[in-house]
Amino acid sequence: MRILLTNDDGIHAPGLTVLEEIARQLSDDVWICAPAEEQSGAGHSLTLHHPVRLREHGDRRYSVTGTPTDSVNLALRKLFADKRPDLVLSGVNAGENLGDDITYSGTISAAMEAALAGIPAIGLSQAFRDSGAGFEAATKWGAKVLAPLIDMQMAKRTLVNVNFPALPADKVGGIRVTRQGFHDYARGSLAEGTDPRGRKYYWFGLQDAEHTLDHGTDLEAVEDGYIAVTPLQLDLTHHSAIDRLASRFAS
Ligand code: MN
């Protein structure tokens, strides 16, 4: 099995080393193509306004001077002339990607890019929340969570979002299959200041947003100390609204 690893925290991120350890328990054919710099919050952006460079850092190890989406897109076009990857893993992100976080997430967007290309894809994120446990849950549980997923036939244009709770490995309750939750809108922190030229600026922060813990969601599972495994789809159509909308436009 050929596995491509990527992330949004950049090629030098500790979470990528964790992911590499996990992936090597599953295969000897592990490739890395990750952003040269941190790209958290980059979402599914593709760099259009300037060129990007693909740099070789060693055997099967590359960086791209662009976004997570650039990294996966370019890797699939330029690195695999003989055989495409069988699986793309993105992460392990330093911080959770729960609820609507996924719409901003470079980690999940890299997995989305792979899913759009028809390759099974899994995003992995480690919640921190000042637990002091670091990547311990992801390190110890990673291969165990991935094993049942990798030989499963995923539907086209779908992916899986895995989040590890902020706990030492032996305190993790287990694995729950969940649905995506939502945070209450009014996101995170916002710092305000004045720049050296006297102009006001704003700076978005990543402080935890408030959320309602709806039953069965990824947010609830991680709060309860479980690993959340959430299937996601790229078909964003709100199918049940099609008929209602059509009737609004019927003459
Ligand atoms: Mn990140």
Side-chain angles (χ1 to χ4, degrees):
M1 181 172 53
R2 174 167 286 183
I3 308 179
L4 170 64
L5 311 184
T6 191
N7 71 0
D8 77 353
D9 293 334
I11 189 158
H12 301 298
L16 188 58
T17 309
V18 172
L19 187 60
E20 204 176 340
E21 278 173 34
I22 295 167
R24 291 202 189 282
Q25 296 171 50
L26 306 168
S27 171
D28 294 326
D29 191 14
V30 176
W31 294 63
I32 291 172
C33 187
E37 303 286 344
E38 189 185 338
Q39 296 286 321
S40 293
H44 198 189
S45 59
L46 184 67
T47 300
L48 297 176
H49 298 288
H50 56 81
V52 297
R53 296 186 192 278
L54 179 65
R55 294 181 180 141
E56 192 172 352
H57 293 256
D59 181 34
R60 292 178 256 196
R61 190 178 294 268
Y62 298 83
S63 71
V64 170
T65 57
T67 66
T69 300
D70 297 338
S71 301
V72 172
N73 192 306
L74 205 54
L76 296 181
R77 289 187 204 212
K78 305 306 291 184
L79 299 182
F80 305 109
D82 55 336
K83 178 182 177 283
R84 296 216 305 173
D86 304 297
L87 175 70
V88 173
L89 300 177
S90 179
V92 176
N93 189 61
E96 63 202 46
N97 275 304
L98 296 168
D100 41 311
D101 288 345
I102 59 175
T103 64
Y104 304 89
S105 170
T107 305
I108 300 304
S109 295
M112 286 179 175
E113 187 68 8
L116 286 171
I119 300 173
I122 302 168
L124 302 100
S125 304
Q126 171 69 63
F128 283 148
R129 303 184 182 183
D130 304 320
S131 70
F135 285 98
E136 206 191 295
T139 304
K140 299 270 170 61
W141 284 78
K144 193 174 175 162
V145 176
L146 291 182
L149 297 176
I150 55 180
D151 59 3
M152 187 184 83
Q153 186 72 40
M154 288 191 204
K156 273 188 180 171
R157 300 179 196 95
T158 67
L159 57 148
V160 176
N161 180 23
V162 175
N163 279 270
F164 299 94
L167 290 171
D170 59 352
K171 293 283 189 317
V172 173
I175 301 165
R176 278 188 197 163
V177 176
T178 54
R179 63 188 164 83
Q180 183 210 319
F182 280 94
H183 293 96
D184 300 333
Y185 198 80
R187 308 200 49 90
S189 61
L190 183 67
E192 302 188 23
T194 308
D195 76 12
R197 296 168 73 182
R199 297 170 305 195
K200 203 161 178 55
Y201 67 79
Y202 302 95
W203 199 342
F204 297 106
L206 276 175
Q207 229 163 51
D208 281 344
E210 293 294 310
H211 51 260
T212 323
L213 288 175
D214 287 333
H215 188 58
T217 63
D218 51 358
L219 285 158
E220 182 201 54
V222 168
E223 192 78 29
D224 288 352
Y226 284 76
I227 297 162
V229 175
T230 312
L232 302 175
Q233 61 182 354
L234 281 155
D235 179 356
L236 300 178
T237 311
H238 184 204
H239 287 276
S240 62
I242 288 179
D243 286 348
R244 206 154 51 88
L245 262 183
S247 73
R248 306 284 297 182
F249 288 102
S251 53

